[in-house]
Amino acid sequence: IVEIPPPEPRVFEVEIPRYNCPGCHRRVEPECPFPPYQQYGFSLIARVVQLRLLGLSTSKVVDYFQGAHGVRLTPAAVLKMEHWAAEAVSPLYETLKAQLVHQPVVHADETKFRIGGENGWLWAFSHPEAVVYGISPSRGQEVVLEFLEGSRGTIVHDGWLPYDVIGTARHQLDLLHPNRWLEREEILHRLHGEALRLHHPAQQLAVPA
């Protein structure tokens, strides 16, 4: 039996001692172990971000915390926590983004994504150690240059032309896509089994005798 304890929010007051240095007359205070300028702790903020990443609206997040934990939030508070979390991890994000061009192999892909009610694109650049996402109104080469300019490794993608702007890297067609095309041909022509397949790394067509 796997069980979770009944939710019970912890509400406490944090006192931070401050004083003015008698020598330089500057204010001195210790580093706070909790998020600065926030009235919510790290665990609560992390849960808010997790729910938002799962696609819950701000109003649904508010309802969840009220019903599950007895914590009263507002949609504005949820957005503020989301924004604070994004700012807090921004240095780490920029580091991961800068490391993309040094990876031997990067898989790149993009998919439709709504931005403020308008059509946009969610870009994903993945390698064995991380996945770096980028949201942009464009599906063009400016995004590819922003993330991959200078890369000398191998970029695996679906053959979308803007990736060709990176002339310093090698390019590998993602074999999942041609395999899907071949699967459709199998269905269309009523072929049985793996009549047509691309196999990495040989990339050869396997045709039954």
Side-chain angles (χ1 to χ4, degrees), residues 8-45:
E8 183 177 347
R10 297 176 57 201
V11 181
F12 51 91
E13 184 174 322
V14 180
E15 294 185 1
I16 302 177
R18 300 185 178 98
Y19 70 94
N20 292 326
C21 176
C24 65
H25 304 291
R26 296 177 60 184
R27 172 185 270 189
V28 180
E29 66 180 72
E31 183 178 353
C32 179
F34 300 99
Y37 311 109
Q38 288 282 341
Q39 65 181 97
Y40 305 105
F42 286 112
S43 296
L44 194 150
I45 294 175

Side-chain angles (χ1 to χ4, degrees), residues 92-101 132-133 146-148:
L92 174 60
Y93 174 80
E94 293 300 328
T95 298
L96 295 174
K97 183 178 177 182
Q99 291 174 350
L100 284 174
V101 297
V132 180
Y133 295 95
E146 177 185 352
F147 284 86
L148 297 176

Side-chain angles (χ1 to χ4, degrees), residues 145-158:
L145 288 170
E146 177 185 352
F147 284 86
L148 297 176
E149 186 174 17
S151 173
R152 297 185 178 277
T154 299
I155 304 174
V156 182
H157 54 83
D158 58 3

Side-chain angles (χ1 to χ4, degrees), residues 85-161:
E87 292 292 330
V89 301
S90 179
L92 174 60
Y93 174 80
E94 293 300 328
T95 298
L96 295 174
K97 183 178 177 182
Q99 291 174 350
L100 284 174
V101 297
H102 303 294
Q103 299 298 324
V105 178
V106 174
H107 185 281
D109 198 12
E110 73 291 331
T111 187
K112 291 182 179 180
F113 192 87
R114 299 286 285 179
I115 305 174
E118 301 292 335
N119 290 332
W121 297 92
L122 173 66
W123 295 75
F125 303 90
S126 63
H127 54 86
E129 298 181 2
V131 180
V132 180
Y133 295 95
I135 299 174
S136 173
S138 170
R139 198 190 181 192
Q141 65 182 24
E142 61 270 22
V143 181
V144 180
L145 288 170
E146 177 185 352
F147 284 86
L148 297 176
E149 186 174 17
S151 173
R152 297 185 178 277
T154 299
I155 304 174
V156 182
H157 54 83
D158 58 3
W160 180 237
L161 290 179

